[in-house]
Amino acid sequence: MTQTPRAFIFDMDGTIVDNMSFHTKSWIAFLAKRGRSVDPDDFFRDSAGRQGHEIMRSYMGADLSDAETATLDAEKESLYRDLYGPHLEAVAGFESFIETAQEEDVRLAVATAAPPANIVFTLDGLDLRRHFDAVVGAADVARGKPNPDVFLLAAERCGVAPGHCIVFEDAPLGVEAARRAGMRAVVLTTTLPASAFAEFDNVICIARDFTELDIDALFDSSPLIQQAQ
């Protein structure tokens, strides 16, 4: 009997790499340069998973043109890469986890709000792209998380129904996007404590890193969920 196709879909920032503090630092420095002060924790909860142009318009003005947000985004992301570059590494156990998943015929995708340059910086910088059946980023969808677009496109490109996909996330907006896509979620507490995800009924496991996860147990952990309307 042919097994129903299954997929793991990974957020990138804060999930494949533990880098969200560097994103926050770069945003704070970027905004401070323009006379704007933000609380780091509040900023993360409001922004993690959203696309750069969405964040930029929230904090720099809703009337910014696409060209203006693109220029500002490029400046901010360059600052981030300079800060995080010396620290670039995968979360503990990630490479072993995805290699085992491939051996068990689980399809793999990345679904991130990151722009193309950051995807290259991370996936190619760590030589991880070769493992994935699909890589979907900010350039591929119009809306960031909590909208489900990026996860649904990743599932489509993998040829796997949403109900047979498990998303790996570190941010509430990402978990909500998975819920709206009809997908279960595993939370990595790289950035926020488990208590930050208590409201989500699609979370099937919370772990510190990938060494704590068992592939078969994840797929057996919960029945399929329905896509939210």
Side-chain angles (χ1 to χ4, degrees), residues 29-198:
F30 173 88
L31 293 170
K33 183 178 177 182
R34 290 158 174 83
R36 290 168 170 80
S37 177
V38 296
D39 177 80
D41 292 337
D42 290 343
F43 179 84
F44 174 81
R45 287 177 171 82
D46 176 64
S47 65
R50 297 169 67 196
Q51 295 184 6
H53 68 90
E54 295 170 326
I55 302 170
M56 203 64 72
R57 287 192 172 108
S58 290
Y59 287 86
M60 296 292 296
D63 58 345
L64 288 172
S65 69
D66 290 346
E68 288 170 328
T69 60
T71 298
L72 293 169
D73 284 344
E75 178 186 337
K76 182 270 163 188
E77 298 304 343
S78 178
L79 176 58
Y80 152 72
R81 291 191 295 271
D82 287 344
L83 288 173
Y84 184 56
H87 309 278
L88 180 63
E89 65 176 348
V91 168
F94 179 74
E95 292 182 69
S96 176
F97 182 79
I98 59 173
E99 288 170 359
T100 301
Q102 286 179 305
E103 292 169 0
E104 297 191 16
D105 295 321
V106 178
R107 299 174 192 179
L108 304 175
V110 173
T112 174
N118 285 7
I119 295 173
V120 169
F121 169 75
T122 300
L123 297 187
D124 297 332
L126 294 171
D127 191 27
L128 292 174
R129 191 185 294 265
R130 58 194 169 87
H131 293 290
F132 295 102
D133 299 287
V135 175
V136 181
D140 299 300
V141 294
R143 305 181 302 173
K145 304 165 189 175
N147 297 293
D149 307 30
V150 70
F151 291 139
L152 291 173
L153 182 55
E156 178 184 329
R157 290 183 176 178
C158 285
V160 178
H164 293 284
C165 297
I166 294 177
V167 166
F168 295 77
E169 265 286 354
D170 71 305
L173 291 182
V175 175
E176 172 61 15
R179 187 193 69 81
R180 295 184 189 183
M183 300 177 185
R184 293 164 287 173
V186 173
V187 168
L188 276 293
T189 55
T190 53
T191 314
L192 292 175
S195 59
F197 303 89

Side-chain angles (χ1 to χ4, degrees), residues 208-224:
R208 290 173 297 181
D209 57 44
F210 291 92
T211 66
E212 300 182 350
L213 301 176
D214 177 84
I215 291 170
D216 292 331
L218 292 178
F219 280 112
D220 291 341
S221 63
S222 176
L224 306 185

